[in-house]
Amino acid sequence: MISIKHLQAALLFVAALLPGVACEGGAGLDKTAGVTPAMLKRATQFRTVIQSGGRFRSGVYVYESRTVKDYAAEPEKLAARLALLGFTDVYLTCGSGAKSAAGLALAWRRTFIRVAHGHGMRVHAQTLERGRLFVDDQAVIEDCAAVLDYNKSVVPGERFAGVSADLEPHIMKHGAAERPKELALVWDSEKNAGIGRDNDLLLKRTTEVLALARKTIGPLPLRQAVGFFFQNRYDAGEVANGGARQFLQSCDALIVMAYNNRKERIWSMAEPTIKAAGSRPACVSVCIKTSHGIQNGKADPTSLQPLGWDNMSDAVKYIISKGETTRAFLGVDIYEYQGFEMMWADAVVNQPR
């Protein structure tokens, strides 16, 4: 028979693997994370706000040029910090095509994913985002194949748990660096609106890319970040493509980019997409912006980062209180971790990073 002492030890070990409870059972996750007492207190509060361990999930974007660079020598520490905060999902920068294998040091990626998975988090490959995808099916297949090839090359615990796409048809504007020269379509909110016109056709191409990705990656979960205004324009009859249900034909979940510094506005931006998902359960998350930046000499008005930790937490609490009354609401995502951590640590930053 198993003794009480051994059973207690086993329970503590399991607790160390679960986000939201790891630091509460004396498992020392806070030590691995290297946080201050104030940060530990805030992490506990944040887990309560996002209802960690409950029915909602919470994701965070981790970018190579920002957070990964900051933690170049400490992937375990980063994973511990994310787990301490109660995040269930991580969208890890992956790159495109051949770059997706070499963009991040392979050893770093394997270590981070292994440790994150050990803490109970799912790590998704953040890919399918380059403008080339709007003109080339082969580019779609290449990006998907890179993720699949990576997964085949490592042990199960080091594999991506899904794919997070970030196709943005609305940035395919005249003069945009991301827009391929071969692309005849141009996004223009005023001149190219209307069914059958450029905006509509760019949205149609987005759904086609996602359908091809779905076919290529098989059962691997797929989610897509969508502009909050896609659904508004679809509902208004301005476009025949871009509705939530169309995206959900290929995607398991949608991430609504609802970037604003007012909680009421954030919810009003995300609500149409959530409503449009109808009775489909837990399939739309609301993404808030926490990136640090300056626009025209002033703090970014689309980001909650300048307002500090308490205001950000209050906004998340408000969004969840609204979302939990709907069937399709999945949770809250954070874009992105570096700015989020500045608030968590109360770092004083005078210049954009």
Side-chain angles (χ1 to χ4, degrees), residues 42 259-266 288-294 298-316 339-340 342-344 346-347 349:
R42 282 182 169 179
Y259 301 155
N260 199 270
N261 59 12
R262 293 186 296 111
K263 60 186 181 183
E264 297 86 359
R265 176 56 180 157
I266 291 171
I288 63 172
K289 189 175 182 181
T290 60
S291 294
H292 176 74
I294 303 294
K298 298 181 180 180
D300 184 353
T302 68
S303 177
L304 287 160
Q305 197 274 340
L307 303 183
W309 180 267
D310 291 340
N311 283 303
M312 181 277 300
S313 295
D314 181 61
V316 172
F340 180 90
M342 290 178 187
M343 291 185 287
W344 183 25
D346 253 345
V349 180

Side-chain angles (χ1 to χ4, degrees), residues 33 50 79 81 85-86 124 139 148 155 181 231 260 266 278 336 348:
I50 61 176
R81 288 193 163 195
L85 288 159
H124 308 259
L148 297 176
V155 297
K181 295 180 180 179
Q231 189 64 48
N260 199 270
I266 291 171
E336 41 72 40
V348 177

Side-chain angles (χ1 to χ4, degrees), residues 223-274:
R223 56 194 59 179
Q224 158 72 9
V226 298
F228 74 92
F229 49 88
F230 291 175
Q231 189 64 48
N232 293 335
R233 297 187 179 190
Y234 180 84
D235 291 341
E238 294 180 16
V239 293
N241 298 278
R245 294 191 182 186
Q246 292 174 316
F247 284 118
L248 288 169
Q249 289 178 5
S250 299
C251 299
D252 299 279
L254 302 179
I255 302 168
V256 184
M257 298 179 282
Y259 301 155
N260 199 270
N261 59 12
R262 293 186 296 111
K263 60 186 181 183
E264 297 86 359
R265 176 56 180 157
I266 291 171
W267 176 252
S268 69
M269 293 163 77
E271 188 176 20
T273 304
I274 295 173

Side-chain angles (χ1 to χ4, degrees), residues 17-19 34 60 77 94 99-100 103 116-117 137 166 181 219 223 230 232 269 301 321:
L17 301 181
L18 298 176
V60 60
K77 181 178 179 179
C94 184
K99 292 182 180 179
S100 63
H117 284 176
D137 282 354
D166 192 21
K181 295 180 180 179
R223 56 194 59 179
F230 291 175
N232 293 335
M269 293 163 77
S321 71

Side-chain angles (χ1 to χ4, degrees), residues 184-203:
L185 304 174
V186 178
W187 185 281
D188 190 308
S189 298
E190 296 181 2
K191 298 179 180 179
N192 292 338
I195 293 177
R197 303 192 68 180
D198 286 16
N199 296 355
D200 184 30
L201 295 178
L202 282 165
L203 284 165

